[in-house]
């Protein structure tokens, strides 16, 4: 009986946190273990460095900040994306037919590994299935 | 016995669920900031009157190049915040949340939003116009994006709205500012401060605004 009461209480307590969603949503679908590990790290870095502007769900902000989720501009060129994460971007770009012109600051403090992890995250969720992005790929992209 | 314990837990559960809703049941919002009492003469009798903290006089330029002063917010409820367009940190989140407030109250003529740039040198009225249009704000009837003398903006931020707004070379983007949404009533008194980066806090703000608007509605009906 004590078990019954405590389990009831547990349900009541956890009920308060019902708003918490699954933290690894989208990542669980990644089959390759190393890719998934990169994506989990990448998600943390994304929340730290990217989601303020591009939003947690990657939808951007109206015509001010472009979306990453299902964005043709991002899908079209992986190396360009890796380069922009590090160096930032200035000037007008068109994403999914909409023009954006808000400067993006660079992230000079991010290491190639961290950029690889962010890249792996954003290229393996939101319906993307690119696979792992390695530090070597990031280094190549940065030296272009 | 078992049944009574289950019943007890159920009541406890209901209490818990109610406590989950943080919104205050109070219909009256507190009046924030320092206050002092003054002795005034009413009907030849000395009476004690409380003087509340209010927003100081201001004059800034909005995204349409129009001067916005205290006269424009007189008798209105408004929300004030501080941001800059090139802000790489909390501003886009604040603007996303402020958009939610805007969507709810944009058609109420007694409600306004004043977003002050703390980087007026870069954020000219032309740039603020472009920024507001891209955000989806067609005109300045409700939501004003204000620019002006930087010293004056810092000063009103710190001394009137009691929030942080200043230069800081160590911050990304070069400015330090809080993400506060400050709720001001018809008499220019602070009635609430909410974290504009948190959805739950902004939900609370959206619930609190009618508590002030309702009052002006009553007055106008008299």
């Amino acid at each position: 009986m004590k078990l019954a009461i405590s389990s009831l209480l547990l349900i009541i307590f956890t009920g308060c946190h019902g708003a918490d969603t699954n933290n690894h949503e989208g990542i669980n679908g990644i089959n390759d273990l190393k890719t998934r590990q990169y994506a989990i790290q990448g998600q943390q870095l994304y929340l730290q460095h990217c989601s303020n502007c591009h939003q947690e769900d990657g939808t951007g902000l109206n015509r001010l900040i472009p979306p990453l989720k299902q964005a043709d501009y991002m899908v079209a060129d992986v190396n360009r994306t890796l380069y922009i994460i590090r160096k930032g971007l200035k000037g007008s770009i068109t994403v999914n037919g909409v023009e954006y012109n808000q400067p993006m600051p660079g992230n000079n403090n991010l290491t190639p590994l961290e950029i690889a992890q962010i890249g792996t995250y954003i290229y393996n969720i939101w319906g993307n299935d690119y696979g792992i992005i390695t530090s070597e790929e990031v280094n190549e992209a940065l030296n272009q | 016995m078992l049944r009574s314990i289950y019943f007890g837990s159920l009541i406890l559960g209901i209490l818990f669920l109610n406590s989950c809703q943080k919104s205050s049941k109070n219909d009256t919002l507190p009046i924030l900031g320092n206050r002092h009492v003054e002795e005034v003469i009413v009907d030849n009798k000395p009476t004690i009157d409380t003087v509340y903290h209010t927003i100081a006089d201001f004059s800034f330029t909005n995204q349409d190049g129009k001067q916005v002063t205290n006269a424009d917010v007189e008798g209105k409820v408004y929300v004030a915040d501080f941001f800059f367009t090139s802000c790489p940190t909390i501003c886009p989140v604040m603007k996303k949340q402020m958009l939610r407030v805007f969507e709810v109250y944009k058609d109420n003529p007694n409600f306004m939003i004043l977003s002050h740039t703390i980087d007026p040198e870069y954020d000219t009225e032309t740039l603020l116009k472009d920024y507001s249009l891209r955000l989806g704000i067609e005109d300045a009837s409700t939501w004003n994006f204000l620019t002006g003398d930087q010293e004056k903006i810092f000063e009103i931020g710190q001394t009137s709205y009691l929030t942080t707004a200043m230069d800081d070379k160590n911050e990304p983007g070069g400015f330090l500012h809080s993400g506060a949404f400050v709720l001001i009533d018809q008499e220019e008194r602070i009635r609430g401060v909410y974290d504009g980066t948190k959805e739950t806090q902004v939900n609370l703000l959206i619930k609190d605004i009618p508590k002030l608007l309702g009052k002006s509605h009553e007055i106008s009906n008299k």
Side-chain angles (χ1 to χ4, degrees):
Chain A
M1 193 176 71
K2 268 190 183 165
L3 190 74
I5 298 166
S6 53
S7 61
L8 238 170
L9 280 175
L10 192 71
I11 290 168
I12 290 162
F13 272 110
T14 48
C16 270
H17 301 285
D20 281 355
T21 47
N22 185 355
N23 271 339
H24 296 311
E25 201 181 346
I27 294 178
N28 286 333
I30 302 170
N31 289 323
D32 180 64
L33 184 64
K34 199 173 176 198
T35 309
R36 201 189 309 156
Q37 280 172 345
Y38 264 50
I40 289 169
Q41 292 297 320
Q43 184 186 38
Q44 292 309 312
L45 292 161
Y46 179 86
L47 293 175
Q48 223 176 316
H49 299 280
C50 319
S51 70
N52 267 328
C53 292
H54 293 288
Q55 309 296 325
E56 261 184 72
D57 59 4
T59 52
L61 185 55
N62 289 5
R63 290 191 292 122
L64 206 55
I65 293 158
L68 302 177
K69 184 182 183 176
Q70 279 136 26
D72 56 3
Y73 185 91
M74 191 187 99
V75 172
D77 194 336
V78 175
N79 280 358
R80 178 177 62 188
T81 305
L82 299 174
Y83 185 86
I84 293 171
I85 293 173
R86 175 68 170 269
K87 306 279 184 181
L89 184 68
K90 255 187 186 157
S92 168
I93 60 165
T94 301
V95 182
N96 296 342
V98 179
E99 186 259 346
Y100 296 86
N101 195 357
Q102 177 77 5
M104 166 175 158
N107 294 278
N108 288 319
N109 297 329
L110 288 176
T111 65
L113 175 64
E114 288 171 327
I115 294 172
Q117 290 167 333
I118 293 171
T120 303
Y121 174 64
I122 61 176
Y123 277 102
N124 287 282
I125 55 162
W126 304 324
N128 297 324
D129 187 18
Y130 183 84
I132 196 163
I133 292 169
T134 61
S135 318
E136 288 74 30
E137 279 178 80
V138 173
N139 278 325
E140 262 175 52
L142 294 181
N143 290 327
Q144 271 174 359
Chain B
M1 171 68 183
L2 186 70
R3 186 179 283 182
S4 73
I5 285 172
Y6 264 110
F7 187 67
S9 310
L10 194 71
I11 290 185
L12 211 73
I14 290 166
L15 285 176
F16 257 108
L17 285 180
N18 281 341
S19 70
C20 282
Q21 299 171 340
K22 276 189 204 152
S23 160
S24 56
K25 283 263 152 55
N26 271 341
D27 279 343
T28 318
L29 299 172
I31 297 167
L32 305 176
N34 284 328
R35 62 186 65 174
H36 66 274
V37 283
E38 259 180 18
E39 213 179 69
V40 289
I41 308 294
V42 179
D43 297 334
N44 290 327
K45 276 181 225 159
T47 314
I48 300 295
D49 190 28
T50 309
V51 179
Y52 294 100
H53 173 85
T54 56
I55 305 304
D57 287 352
F58 63 86
S59 177
F60 298 121
T61 312
N62 76 2
Q63 70 265 42
D64 289 332
K66 183 180 162 278
Q67 289 298 305
V68 174
T69 69
N70 306 66
D72 295 284
V73 295
E74 204 185 324
K76 294 186 181 185
V77 173
Y78 70 97
V79 178
D81 75 340
F82 293 82
F83 82 113
F84 57 111
T85 64
S86 57
C87 163
T89 55
I90 57 176
C91 304
V93 179
M94 290 167 69
K95 290 292 157 278
K96 182 148 192 153
Q97 293 301 326
M98 193 67 99
L99 268 173
R100 294 175 53 224
V101 180
F102 175 77
E103 283 304 321
V104 179
Y105 298 109
K106 62 181 174 186
D107 294 327
N108 191 316
N110 294 318
F111 178 75
M112 284 177 82
I113 298 171
L114 303 187
S115 286
H116 306 72
T117 177
I118 51 174
D119 185 12
E121 200 179 322
Y122 182 77
D123 291 340
T124 57
E125 53 184 78
T126 318
L127 201 131
L128 289 176
K129 184 66 187 173
D130 181 61
Y131 184 88
S132 62
L133 284 175
R134 285 175 185 273
L135 203 57
I137 311 304
E138 295 302 324
D139 59 58
S141 58
T142 299
W143 193 342
N144 282 261
F145 293 80
L146 301 177
T147 184
D149 182 54
Q150 191 180 46
E151 282 302 308
K152 290 269 191 293
I153 293 171
F154 285 172
E155 189 188 324
I156 203 161
Q158 284 166 28
T159 61
S160 280
Y161 295 107
L162 309 179
T163 179
T164 312
M166 61 176 88
D167 279 310
D168 190 339
K169 294 283 168 281
N170 296 322
E171 286 291 310
F175 297 96
L176 174 69
H177 68 117
S178 86
F181 288 175
V182 188
L183 177 61
I184 309 297
D185 71 9
Q186 291 89 339
E187 290 160 60
E188 302 204 46
R189 302 176 301 190
I190 301 177
R191 303 302 296 270
V193 179
Y194 310 81
D195 185 341
T197 64
K198 297 210 164 61
E199 195 179 327
T200 48
Q201 287 268 301
V202 176
N203 289 344
L204 206 60
L205 168 64
I206 290 172
K207 273 187 197 165
D208 282 347
I209 288 168
K211 294 174 187 171
L212 297 178
L213 281 174
K215 203 179 151 218
S216 76
H217 192 65
E218 270 170 28
I219 290 167
S220 63
N221 278 350
K222 268 176 193 169

